[in-house]
């Protein structure tokens, strides 16, 4: 029996079968969780519904996190169908493409700042608020996805780095607030993975190459690596862990200096 047997999880943020949320859904399904999925709009629905069905899930719903009414309706549906929820996966981020290239100071505008923070950080609070009544008394767990740009400057990541810093603070404040009610809240800081969103970041391919050259494991992380870590964090195996940002990055963030082509290395 899997370590998530009997758990019910809402997965927010599947766009394609390369999405990190999809890696998480697969790991959680393998460990026995029952899944519900949201999709951003009708275009995404066409992709998300068949993916959900392939994991035995019939519960899919529209949820644009900028739309309070749609979020309310989604959680009402969950309440009617399931009555409760054990796991919330938040794997959503967005900034206008022109903000994710070139000079930070030149590309950041009031609008791009607001959009990035609303969709990439506030949305976690907004979802947590609605999940809370369904999770109370159930050892609930929430997990979100961050990136190293929250704590280090990274070329082109720009305003998204600020939004991820806010998201990581969000994890700590939610953990403090919800801990006394038995709910744990954690984040995963994932290494770069080629997904639809990642394609919007200028120079992303270079990032992948750099990580593979200098990270201790000399490779990039996979959807499976991140999925397994998320499944663990949302399971009883991680019952003592909350307010934490877990790095799943092949060790990249731990390195102060690394020489890619040392003698004797392949
Ligand atoms: O290298 C990477 N791919 C990393 C991603 C490294 C570290 C962290 N992350 C984070 C991202 O910042 C994000 O928080 O992981 C999370 C998931 O990102 P992903 O899996 O890389 O990207 P993707 O497959 O595109 O899924 C993100 C989805 C959106 O896709 P598009 O491509 O349409 O922007 O977030 C969803 C949407 O489906 N999304 C929204 N969902 C609801 N309401 C909204 C919205 N307003 N905007 C975007």
């Amino acid at each position: 029996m899997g370590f998530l047997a009997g758990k019910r999880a809402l997965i927010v943020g599947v766009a394609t079968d390369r999405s990190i949320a999809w890696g998480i859904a697969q790991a959680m399904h393998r460990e026995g969780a029952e899944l519900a999925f949201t999709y951003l709009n009708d275009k995404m629905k066409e992709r998300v519904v068949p993916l959900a069905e392939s994991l035995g899930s019939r519960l899919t719903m529209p949820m644009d996190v900028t739309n309070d009414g749609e979020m309310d309706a989604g959680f009402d549906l969950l309440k009617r169908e399931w009555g409760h929820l054990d796991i919330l996966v938040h794997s959503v981020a967005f900034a206008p493409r022109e903000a994710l290239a070139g000079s930070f100071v030149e590309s950041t505008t009031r609008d791009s700042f607001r959009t990035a923070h609303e969709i990439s950080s506030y949305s976690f609070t907004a979802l947590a608020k609605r999940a809370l009544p369904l999770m109370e008394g159930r050892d609930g767990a929430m997990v979100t996805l961050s990136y190293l740009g929250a704590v280090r400057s990274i070329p082109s990541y720009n305003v998204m780095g600020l939004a991820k810093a806010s998201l990581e603070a969000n994890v700590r404040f939610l953990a403090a607030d919800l801990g006394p009610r038995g709910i744990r809240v954690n984040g995963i800081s994932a290494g770069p993975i080629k997904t639809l969103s990642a394609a919007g970041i200028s120079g992303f391919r270079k990032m992948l190459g750099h990580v593979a050259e200098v990270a201790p494991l000399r490779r990039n992380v996979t959807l499976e690596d991140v999925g397994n870590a998320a499944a663990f964090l949302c399971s009883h195996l991680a019952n003592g862990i909350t307010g934490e940002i877990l790095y799943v990055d092949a060790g990249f963030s731990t390195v102060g200096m690394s020489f890619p082509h040392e003698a004797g290395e392949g």
Side-chain angles (χ1 to χ4, degrees):
M1 201 165 64
F3 59 70
L4 291 177
K7 300 279 188 188
R8 285 175 159 167
L10 177 66
I11 313 283
V12 181
V14 175
T16 71
D17 62 1
R18 293 178 147 203
S19 296
I20 292 176
W22 180 242
I24 296 173
Q26 287 177 302
M28 289 189 170
H29 172 74
R30 187 195 66 221
E31 295 304 330
E34 191 179 347
L35 307 178
F37 291 84
T38 71
Y39 48 84
L40 172 58
N41 50 34
D42 282 347
K43 200 173 133 210
M44 295 292 172
K45 180 180 182 181
E46 287 171 24
R47 280 205 290 251
V48 173
V49 170
L51 287 172
E53 284 174 355
S54 75
L55 296 186
S57 170
R58 304 217 161 272
L59 203 45
T60 53
M61 63 199 83
M63 202 178 284
D64 180 335
V65 295
T66 62
N67 183 330
D68 284 334
E70 218 163 80
M71 280 190 285
D72 289 339
F75 279 89
D76 282 349
L77 177 69
L78 271 187
K79 190 171 181 197
R80 280 199 307 279
E81 293 289 326
W82 280 357
H84 65 263
L85 182 68
D86 301 295
I87 295 169
L88 171 68
V89 176
H90 171 271
S91 186
V92 168
F94 179 79
R97 188 177 269 259
E98 56 282 9
L100 299 174
S103 148
F104 163 67
V105 73
E106 280 164 23
S107 72
T108 304
T109 61
R110 187 183 298 278
D111 246 18
S112 65
F113 183 97
R114 187 189 55 71
T115 302
H117 283 71
E118 181 185 358
I119 299 182
S120 316
S121 178
Y122 172 69
S123 61
F124 193 35
T125 319
L127 291 171
K129 213 186 270 271
R130 289 165 174 87
L132 179 56
L134 297 179
M135 280 189 171
E136 216 139 15
R138 296 196 59 83
D139 292 336
M142 303 182 183
V143 69
T144 186
L145 271 300
S146 190
Y147 178 57
L148 187 60
V151 293
R152 303 271 187 275
S153 64
I154 305 273
S156 299
Y157 204 62
N158 297 352
V159 74
M160 189 56 87
L162 281 66
K164 291 300 192 191
S166 163
L167 179 67
E168 293 189 4
N170 212 328
V171 167
R172 292 184 284 272
F173 276 80
L174 284 171
D177 214 10
L178 308 187
R181 294 149 100 155
I183 300 168
R184 296 181 301 104
V185 185
N186 292 294
I188 290 177
S189 184
I193 299 181
K194 199 162 176 245
T195 64
L196 204 58
S197 301
I201 301 166
S202 166
F204 188 77
R205 270 219 322 242
K206 270 194 210 157
M207 284 186 197
L208 288 173
H210 183 61
V211 169
E213 278 194 336
V214 307
L217 298 182
R218 296 293 193 269
R219 66 170 177 89
N220 282 281
V221 293
T222 62
L223 290 185
E224 201 180 357
D225 293 329
V226 180
N228 285 336
F232 157 71
L233 279 178
C234 293
S235 78
H236 66 277
L237 298 172
N239 267 352
I241 304 176
T242 195
E244 188 62 73
I245 306 297
L246 177 65
Y247 281 77
V248 181
D249 66 347
F252 181 78
S253 61
T254 66
V255 170
M257 193 181 295
S258 173
F259 299 115
H261 300 298
E262 278 174 350
E265 269 195 24

